[in-house]
Amino acid sequence: MNGLGDRRLPVDHHLHIPLCGHADGMPAEYVAAAGALAGVGFSDHLPYLEPAMADPALAMSWDDLPVYLGGVRRLREESDTPVLLGIEADYFPGQESRLANILGELPLDYVYGAVHWVGDWPFDDSRHRRRYEGADINKLFRDYYGLVAGMAASGLFDVWAHPDLPKKFGYRPAEPVYDDEDVALEAVAAAGMVIEVNTSGLRKPAREIYPSLGLLRRACAAGIPVTFGSDAHRPGEVGHEFKRAVTLAREAGYRTYTTFSRREKVGLTLP
Ligand code: ZN
Ligand code: FE
Ligand code: FE
Ligand code: ZN
């Protein structure tokens, strides 16, 4: 991966494959779709630590984890496109030490930290979308940012995935929740974590990249580095709207972005 003077679109760090139960296409097809990108990285869903939460439609099984790791490493060796090995792990308060033990054993380039659940509500799961009706949306966002702060404070994650995810289905807080966002931003900055510009929101009812320009501006001002992901769940989504993502990052004040090698940050110039 060539840094200075690289005019290619950023590395897409956020690719899923069918092991998670809700993606399509062969891993090699995702790599072949990299086109004008500087590289790709896989970050499929780590199995849930709580056996009762195991859901073949949400995450790979523990039996599949070595298949995933070996498959991505093989692709890395075989392809001319740079291929990174990441994972997307859910944050749940109380699971920190178990998760630390698991992540410490894996040969990963980076770990996405994701909050997909607020309490017992998997708020980004379309099967539970009806729970938005009558829900306190401000509270959902506030609770979400509180969990993000806890996630950052755990020190277990490299990247804050899809930063304002509760807007996915188009619900937004009636009034801004800046204070709660600031608590999350401060914790993310203190942890040395990176914020993701994730284009999948454009494909959802939110019709907007995660995060909003306003939140990304404040992340930049707080000194939080930025990275990029499409959250592709099929090969045709690799690098989706990355020009737009770069434009957003530049508008927010960024001139460089971050990729990873063996859980170390690597800085690259934004095209
Ligand atoms: Zn997924
Ligand atoms: Fe996610
Ligand atoms: Fe994802
Ligand atoms: Zn995700």
Side-chain angles (χ1 to χ4, degrees):
M1 228 164 282
N2 168 9
L4 281 177
D6 192 342
R7 306 320 290 170
R8 289 174 296 179
L9 286 170
V11 178
D12 184 349
H13 296 84
H14 200 147
L15 311 185
H16 291 277
I17 57 169
L19 285 177
C20 69
H22 58 272
D24 294 309
M26 298 295 292
E29 297 179 90
Y30 286 78
V31 178
L37 304 180
V40 293
F42 289 89
S43 56
D44 212 4
H45 299 281
L46 185 76
Y48 284 101
L49 272 54
E50 212 53 71
M53 288 184 69
D55 180 342
L58 286 185
M60 70 179 96
S61 68
W62 290 106
D63 286 343
D64 285 337
L65 183 56
V67 177
Y68 171 69
L69 302 172
V72 173
R73 279 193 288 182
R74 222 170 16 255
L75 268 177
R76 182 208 301 263
E77 282 153 26
E78 289 166 1
S79 76
D80 298 326
T81 303
V83 175
L84 300 176
L85 174 56
I87 205 133
E88 178 172 357
D90 280 68
Y91 170 71
F92 292 102
Q95 294 188 354
E96 290 87 347
S97 61
R98 271 189 294 164
L99 185 58
N101 289 336
I102 291 159
L103 294 176
E105 297 295 314
L106 304 180
L108 299 168
D109 289 311
Y110 55 92
V111 176
Y112 268 108
V115 173
H116 298 115
W117 295 68
V118 165
D120 67 351
W121 183 9
F123 63 86
D124 84 318
D125 185 334
S126 52
R127 296 172 298 178
H128 296 264
R129 191 173 164 175
R130 292 184 59 182
R131 267 181 83 162
Y132 280 87
E133 291 162 27
D136 182 340
I137 302 301
N138 277 45
K139 181 172 164 26
L140 169 65
F141 277 82
R142 284 198 305 267
D143 289 351
Y144 169 79
Y145 288 116
L147 285 163
V148 169
M151 171 174 87
S154 76
L156 295 174
F157 306 93
D158 302 307
V159 186
W160 176 13
H162 35 60
D164 50 7
L165 183 62
K167 75 184 179 189
K168 175 173 177 175
F169 296 114
Y171 296 88
R172 289 186 166 76
E175 67 238 29
V177 291
Y178 296 129
D179 290 354
D180 305 272
E181 290 175 3
D182 282 342
V183 170
L185 288 170
E186 278 164 31
V188 166
M193 278 176 76
V194 174
I195 191 169
E196 179 189 38
V197 169
N198 180 312
T199 58
S200 72
L202 293 168
R203 310 191 292 271
K204 308 295 180 195
R207 294 277 170 237
E208 190 182 89
I209 287 174
Y210 310 111
S212 66
L213 176 59
L215 184 54
L216 192 60
R217 274 204 176 114
R218 281 153 62 225
C220 185
I224 299 167
V226 71
T227 194
F228 294 90
S230 67
D231 224 333
H233 284 74
R234 49 182 51 83
E237 292 171 351
V238 174
H240 177 244
E241 295 277 23
F242 262 34
K243 278 191 184 144
R244 201 160 152 183
V246 169
T247 300
L248 186 81
R250 288 194 153 271
E251 223 178 317
Y254 289 101
R255 295 295 176 264
T256 61
Y257 76 101
T258 298
T259 185
F260 300 88
S261 176
R262 288 296 194 143
R263 308 209 58 186
E264 296 288 341
K265 296 199 269 286
V266 179
L268 296 176
T269 308
L270 265 184

